[in-house]
Amino acid sequence: MAVDRRGFLKFVAGVSAGVMVTPIPWKLLDDASIWTQNWPWIPSNVDGATSYVSTVSKLCPSCVGMKVRLVGDRPVRILPDENHPLSKGGISPLAVAEAQMLYSPARVKRPLKRAADGAYVAISWEEADALLAEKLGAAKGSIACVSGDETGSINEVLSSLAVQAGSGNFYLMPTEAQPAAKALAAMGGKGQLGYDIENSDYVLAIGANVLETWGPVISTRAAYKAARPHGEDPAVQFVFAGPVQNSTAAGADQWVPIKAGTEGVFALGIAHLLIKAGATADAADFSAFKSLAEAYTPAKVAEITGTNADQLKAVAAALLKARTPLVVCGSDFGQGTGAGTVMAGIAVNMLLGGLNRKGGLKLLPVAEPVVSSAMSRAEMMDKDFVSYMSRINAGKEKAPKAMVFYEANPAYALPQATKMSEVLGQVSFKVTFTTFLDETAMLCDLVLPVPMGLERLDDVATPYGYGQALYCLARPVAPMPASVKPAGDYIVALAGKLGCSLGVSSWEEVLQAKAKAMDADWDSLMDGNVFTSDATVSANLSFAADLLAKSVNVKAQEGNFAVAPVFKLGIGTAKTAIPPYNNKLIRRWELQGNELYVAMNGATARKLGVMMHDKIVISNKSGSINARVNIFEGIMNDTITVLMGLGHTAFDQFSKGKGENVMQLLTVGFEAGTGLSVWNMAGVTISKA
Amino acid sequence: MADRHLHPANGNSASSQFGGAAPFFVGLVVALILGWWAFPQMLYSQKHQPVRFSHKVHMEGAGMECSSCHFLREDGSFAGLPTTESCAECHSEPLGSDPEEARFIEEYVNTGKEVEWLVYQKQPDNVFFSHAAHSMNSCNTCHDFTETELCSTCHPNVAETDEAPVYYENKLTKYSKQTMKMWRCEECHAHPEHYGTTRSSNACYVCHK
């Protein structure tokens, strides 16, 4: 039978009708939509067994303990570690970002050398080795080393190198540990200051932003949390005195506004009231201190600090009433404070009988160096990098021929950052061991990539402020990229090439010796356990009243307004800039696009004749920054707050060019008596842009 | 004038009408055969597991259970398939005389290579599924499942098979034919009694994180 046109159309109609009751169109539609999810450029999970490894963060300044969740050999998530004393079930936003930071676009992937035209060229490690040995060999006798790692044994390796191949110029990037060490030494103490916040029933933080930036923040937050169970009366009172209602003030029971840089005076005001109430201390120069404190009457303290005399009296009375009160003195933004401030804080603790007692101020033992010729902790703490740079700038000291940076970013993170970069320019050869292409790396002749904390073996010894002697290891939990080298082993080998004898043959040997010196068990540490000790160093501290009298004086500042930098743990440090995932932590009126917002209260805004969102220029002799105005009432009069950690000129697209670097405004001064560099007070003038 | 007939003069109009509809029905039948029989044959390619594995031998012979190899770890995450290392706990040397066994030892155990098992019900990346929430502990709060019954609610029951089932791979999507679709999840998740008891909400974010 021939198929005519009509028959064919009937057949097609039959096929069409039939197809509609088969899976063909529906299944194809469904599969086509699934197929679009499998395009090869769409990222997909890589399977593997899940495991957890306990370690400690070398990126977060609070040295938080953490559990890393691995899928196969890849870290995918950072979790809190309940068993780590520096974590206790808490975690910091910086540590959380660490797994992502392994893939940061700012990571240095291979050794880089600055070419004649100023551009960076990738070189092999062999070329880098040869160049480094040649340059450092030529600079022998004039080498300075700068470390940005405050708690690691790498400092012993670097300081030994500086001593043997240089002129003893080893410096730590400035933190609060140095003024604290200086204060303790001046008062005749040994070891390291530890604040037993965990066992205190009344914590007075003068300046020290204990819940955000001061000391081992996450462990302090854990203590805060444990003492204040939800729905129950707080077992511990927290009081914060400072210019800004920061995170600590927000969590505290009481915020006592005082001007930035007047923390020491406030502490002496407390001492005055305590002595008046009969407090005493067993120190040779108590009477000298008593007469010093005599002058700091509530009225005088109120005048200098801008606080209310009644509030001061109430705080002193509460301290006297508490069983285990503790006073923590420091800087609002974790640096730049003077030794005088810390000394005043120690003095108050002495009057409260809080020395080496539970819930008090402890003098913790510090292990002896394990590397030949390495500086002791006390010697390291005595070295003042900002002061050294200032001396070079003033021509009082020759710039070294070579500078070695280890995870340090002075070109961004020092006060008067631009000036400091210029001083660095006087050094003819600079090399940095860094994970990220930061501002300092951009100034260096040679950039050597080092693994991140998750990829290397490293250590943490008692972070400043923690209440117990502690030692733990950061263990390599992720495979190290082929083109980076761990700095510990590299510098040990480099020292050998330069003819220096460090007395150790490998980095692991350094750590093993350090563990032994701390009385810790190496195998247990390698299993992820943390060594802690309740040991304290006994001491008869003096008040160092003469020195305190000189150092605690508040100098008049330039301009009519004060700058109070605000440091937040999530925003990033000089070492990390802002982890991309943490950009969401920046609030709406802290940064808009690339424009920085600074905050002031309504009275200050009226005085300046500005309104919310107005453009202003904040300047002083150190520099100037442009910003817009945000109004926030939790700030003292005549004070503006500026978020730290912004205004990077290096790193990646998530940090570079966003906002301004407040360090530009912080002017270095020198503390009377101790000679320590300080920059916790900055006066500025403000004008409408 | 001659009569003009619209229909054949023999008057067999019914037959003519049926013949007229025949192509339609032929087309319909062709489409049905194509759609229900040929199309699935064309859409899926057949694959076989790289190593012959008998669940029956392990369960009946060695007295093992599903969870002996496919267990939940201490942290609640699902181990999935055993690694070569865990197989080697028993199979470090060939057990029996099966040449496949000897090949497994030689190719995988001795080299440490993982077997690229074909997983019949692997979910795509956009689905979050936790075996921990679908365990004996949680489901047996109300039900009285044996382990095999519970597992085979979703997975093919291979407990008594000597040969691994053929793996049908969708040529378009590259997923297994047996990959569960949303409606299978919803059989329990949208069940009112389940919701009342387990709070296993049917909200999108429960599975799509």
Side-chain angles (χ1 to χ4, degrees):
Chain A
M1 185 178 87
V3 179
D4 58 8
R5 181 174 171 274
R6 183 170 291 186
F8 176 74
L9 288 175
K10 284 178 185 170
F11 175 78
V12 169
V15 168
S16 306
V19 160
M20 299 314 273
V21 291
T22 68
I24 295 177
W26 323 112
K27 181 77 183 142
L28 279 179
L29 269 175
D30 188 32
D31 284 356
S33 72
I34 296 171
W35 171 73
T36 62
Q37 295 173 29
N38 290 339
W39 285 334
W41 55 88
I42 294 176
S44 63
N45 289 339
V46 182
D47 245 10
T50 295
S51 58
Y52 294 86
V53 185
S54 289
T55 185
V56 64
S57 176
K58 288 299 286 181
L59 194 74
C60 175
S62 74
C63 303
V64 61
M66 57 194 186
K67 263 194 314 201
V68 183
R69 179 179 167 223
L70 298 152
V71 171
D73 62 355
R74 293 167 299 115
V76 294
R77 195 177 174 196
I78 308 289
L79 294 151
D81 188 349
E82 298 80 11
N83 300 320
H84 202 291
L86 294 171
S87 171
K88 286 183 192 141
I91 192 78
S92 76
L94 268 184
V96 162
E98 214 164 326
Q100 286 93 40
M101 292 301 277
L102 291 170
Y103 310 100
S104 164
R107 269 198 85 162
V108 187
K109 296 190 177 76
R110 57 189 70 79
L112 301 173
K113 186 180 89 167
R114 185 174 292 285
D117 62 356
Y120 277 120
V121 287
I123 55 170
S124 68
W125 273 101
E126 288 73 28
E127 278 178 83
D129 291 350
L131 180 68
L132 195 56
E134 179 208 324
K135 293 284 184 183
L136 291 187
K140 216 170 168 187
S142 183
I143 296 173
C145 296
V146 184
S147 165
D149 179 359
E150 193 182 287
T151 54
S153 296
I154 190 79
N155 296 333
E156 294 193 10
V157 174
L158 286 164
S159 67
S160 174
L161 181 75
V163 168
Q164 292 194 41
S167 41
N169 279 328
F170 169 76
Y171 296 94
L172 285 169
M173 284 293 285
T175 62
E176 292 204 279
Q178 287 126 320
K182 202 141 200 155
L184 183 62
M187 296 170 98
K190 281 201 163 61
Q192 183 176 315
L193 287 176
Y195 294 81
D196 190 7
I197 291 175
E198 206 173 327
N199 293 306
S200 168
D201 69 342
Y202 188 95
V203 179
L204 169 62
I206 310 175
N209 192 351
V210 291
L211 294 179
E212 189 68 44
T213 53
W214 181 95
V217 178
I218 306 304
S219 130
T220 308
R221 284 184 191 172
Y224 172 87
K225 187 175 139 198
R228 303 166 71 90
H230 184 70
E232 291 176 32
D233 286 338
V236 175
Q237 295 283 305
F238 276 75
V239 177
F240 176 73
V244 185
Q245 216 176 56
N246 55 20
S247 304
T248 302
D253 300 274
Q254 197 183 345
W255 170 47
V256 184
I258 62 167
K259 289 179 192 164
T262 65
E263 295 86 3
V265 172
F266 186 82
L268 287 180
I270 298 277
H272 170 94
L273 291 166
L274 295 179
I275 293 171
K276 232 176 160 186
T280 179
D282 185 20
D285 61 345
F286 175 66
S287 56
F289 177 72
K290 192 177 169 183
S291 44
L292 166 68
E294 191 69 37
Y296 289 89
T297 59
K300 183 181 174 182
V301 171
E303 190 196 324
I304 299 172
T305 63
T307 191
N308 176 317
D310 289 338
Q311 239 179 342
L312 182 75
K313 285 177 192 167
V315 171
L319 279 170
L320 280 166
K321 217 171 127 191
R323 278 181 300 109
T324 51
L326 178 65
V327 176
V328 189
C329 258
S331 154
D332 214 32
F333 55 102
Q335 54 175 289
T337 195
T341 303
V342 188
M343 283 159 74
I346 298 174
V348 177
N349 281 304
M350 285 164 69
L351 291 173
L352 293 166
L355 221 53
N356 279 343
R357 84 150 142 68
K358 198 175 175 192
L361 179 62
K362 297 192 169 175
L363 307 188
L364 308 176
V366 174
E368 287 300 309
V370 294
V371 177
S372 306
S373 316
M375 288 180 183
S376 68
R377 184 85 180 151
E379 285 168 330
M380 286 178 197
M381 288 292 161
D382 202 37
K383 303 283 277 182
D384 183 343
F385 185 46
V386 172
S387 179
Y388 175 61
M389 295 286 277
S390 302
R391 287 200 303 276
I392 296 174
N393 184 44
K396 290 179 187 165
E397 187 155 340
K398 264 178 79 178
K401 287 182 187 156
M403 257 193 178
V404 180
F405 303 102
Y406 172 76
E407 295 201 331
N409 187 9
Y412 171 83
L414 289 186
Q416 294 176 267
T418 313
K419 190 82 219 161
M420 294 296 176
S421 301
E422 284 169 27
V423 179
L424 289 176
Q426 296 181 29
V427 181
S428 47
F429 178 76
K430 296 176 284 294
V431 54
T432 181
F433 291 89
T434 185
T435 309
F436 304 109
L437 202 60
D438 57 25
E439 284 80 359
T440 303
M442 298 305 282
L443 291 177
C444 283
D445 304 285
L446 188 60
V447 181
L448 300 174
V450 295
M452 280 191 67
L454 288 179
E455 297 161 342
R456 68 182 194 230
L457 186 64
D458 212 331
D459 65 343
V460 166
T462 325
Y464 167 65
Y466 188 64
Q468 278 184 306
L470 173 147
Y471 190 71
C472 59
L473 294 179
R475 297 175 297 158
V477 294
M480 193 166 49
S483 54
V484 307
K485 286 191 178 183
D489 278 312
Y490 189 83
I491 297 170
V492 168
L494 176 71
K497 282 180 207 161
L498 295 174
C500 307
S501 168
L502 305 189
V504 285
S505 56
S506 72
W507 173 234
E508 193 169 326
E509 203 181 316
V510 174
L511 299 183
Q512 283 181 357
K514 189 74 181 175
K516 201 173 166 193
M518 294 286 294
D519 275 337
D521 177 58
W522 176 257
D523 292 335
S524 170
L525 292 171
M526 282 299 276
D527 284 341
N529 296 317
V530 180
F531 166 81
T532 54
S533 160
D534 285 327
T536 52
V537 184
S538 61
N540 265 335
L541 294 191
S542 80
F543 282 98
D546 294 345
L547 191 60
L548 187 53
K550 284 183 210 160
S551 58
V552 90
N553 273 333
V554 176
K555 287 180 193 161
Q557 293 299 306
E558 186 190 350
N560 298 323
F561 299 92
V563 169
V566 174
F567 179 41
K568 293 185 181 180
L569 207 45
I571 305 300
T573 62
K575 267 195 216 178
T576 57
I578 313 168
Y581 284 75
N582 287 11
N583 270 316
K584 60 185 176 230
L585 297 179
I586 301 175
R587 293 183 185 175
R588 191 176 182 196
W589 303 127
E590 287 175 340
L591 186 75
Q592 279 288 303
N594 291 336
E595 276 189 313
L596 177 75
Y597 269 73
V598 298
M600 60 184 74
N601 68 16
T604 311
R606 273 193 296 280
K607 197 169 175 180
L608 281 165
V610 295
M611 291 170 75
M612 180 88 181
H613 308 306
D614 278 357
K615 278 187 177 176
I616 54 170
V617 180
I618 307 150
S619 53
N620 62 14
K621 66 178 181 189
S622 299
S624 84
I625 61 175
N626 296 309
R628 282 182 186 267
V629 172
N630 179 25
I631 307 291
F632 173 53
E633 294 304 331
I635 303 171
M636 289 197 72
N637 284 345
D638 301 335
T639 301
I640 57 154
T641 64
V642 187
L643 187 62
M644 289 184 85
L646 299 173
H648 278 283
T649 54
F651 284 94
D652 49 35
Q653 68 266 40
F654 305 103
S655 299
K656 197 174 174 181
K658 297 210 180 285
E660 306 259 4
N661 184 4
V662 66
M663 299 306 285
Q664 303 287 1
L665 295 176
L666 302 182
T667 314
V668 177
F670 294 94
E671 190 178 45
T674 64
L676 190 70
S677 56
V678 287
W679 56 95
N680 60 341
M681 295 176 79
V684 288
T685 54
I686 299 173
S687 58
K688 270 186 169 184
Chain B
M1 193 170 116
D3 287 343
R4 287 180 66 95
H5 296 285
L6 291 174
H7 302 291
N10 59 12
N12 191 7
S13 61
S15 157
S16 164
Q17 274 167 13
F18 181 79
F24 175 83
F25 286 106
V26 170
L28 189 74
V29 170
V30 166
L32 289 176
I33 292 170
L34 190 74
W36 288 100
W37 182 79
F39 171 66
Q41 309 269 340
M42 285 153 54
L43 187 63
Y44 296 100
S45 58
Q46 296 186 18
K47 289 189 170 181
H48 296 274
Q49 297 289 359
V51 173
R52 192 167 71 73
F53 180 85
S54 165
H55 277 93
K56 192 177 178 183
V57 167
H58 287 82
M59 297 195 77
E60 286 179 13
M64 294 164 80
E65 289 187 325
C66 309
S67 59
S68 305
C69 296
H70 313 288
F71 57 89
L72 290 176
R73 300 187 191 87
E74 222 171 281
D75 64 359
S77 64
F78 182 59
L81 302 171
T83 57
T84 299
E85 196 184 350
S86 50
C87 296
E89 284 170 18
C90 298
H91 297 266
S92 58
E93 296 292 328
L95 302 175
S97 56
D98 190 338
E100 267 291 280
E101 169 90 4
R103 186 176 73 84
F104 172 69
I105 305 287
E106 194 185 319
E107 278 187 29
Y108 296 96
V109 176
N110 293 347
T111 60
K113 192 175 127 187
E114 295 299 333
V115 183
E116 290 183 359
W117 295 107
L118 300 164
V119 182
Y120 301 101
Q121 294 194 312
K122 194 175 168 59
Q123 285 294 325
D125 283 347
N126 63 1
V127 179
F128 172 82
F129 177 85
S130 166
H131 279 88
H134 303 83
S135 65
M136 293 288 278
N137 283 345
S138 52
C139 298
N140 273 16
T141 309
C142 299
H143 297 279
D144 191 19
F145 290 135
T146 63
E147 198 172 271
T148 313
E149 279 168 351
L150 176 66
C151 298
S152 58
T153 307
C154 303
H155 295 280
N157 187 353
V158 288
E160 290 173 9
T161 58
D162 213 24
E163 286 284 339
V166 176
Y167 179 92
Y168 293 94
E169 187 184 83
N170 188 313
K171 287 176 186 165
L172 202 58
T173 66
K174 304 297 174 196
Y175 280 107
S176 156
K177 189 181 183 179
Q178 284 176 311
T179 299
M180 282 167 65
K181 292 296 188 75
M182 276 167 63
W183 65 268
R184 289 288 307 279
C185 306
E186 286 171 334
E187 277 183 330
C188 292
H189 274 259
H191 199 290
E193 281 178 22
H194 272 150
Y195 180 65
T197 314
T198 64
R199 303 279 167 210
S200 58
S201 160
N202 196 34
C204 312
Y205 60 78
V206 173
C207 304
H208 300 288
K209 300 291 179 192

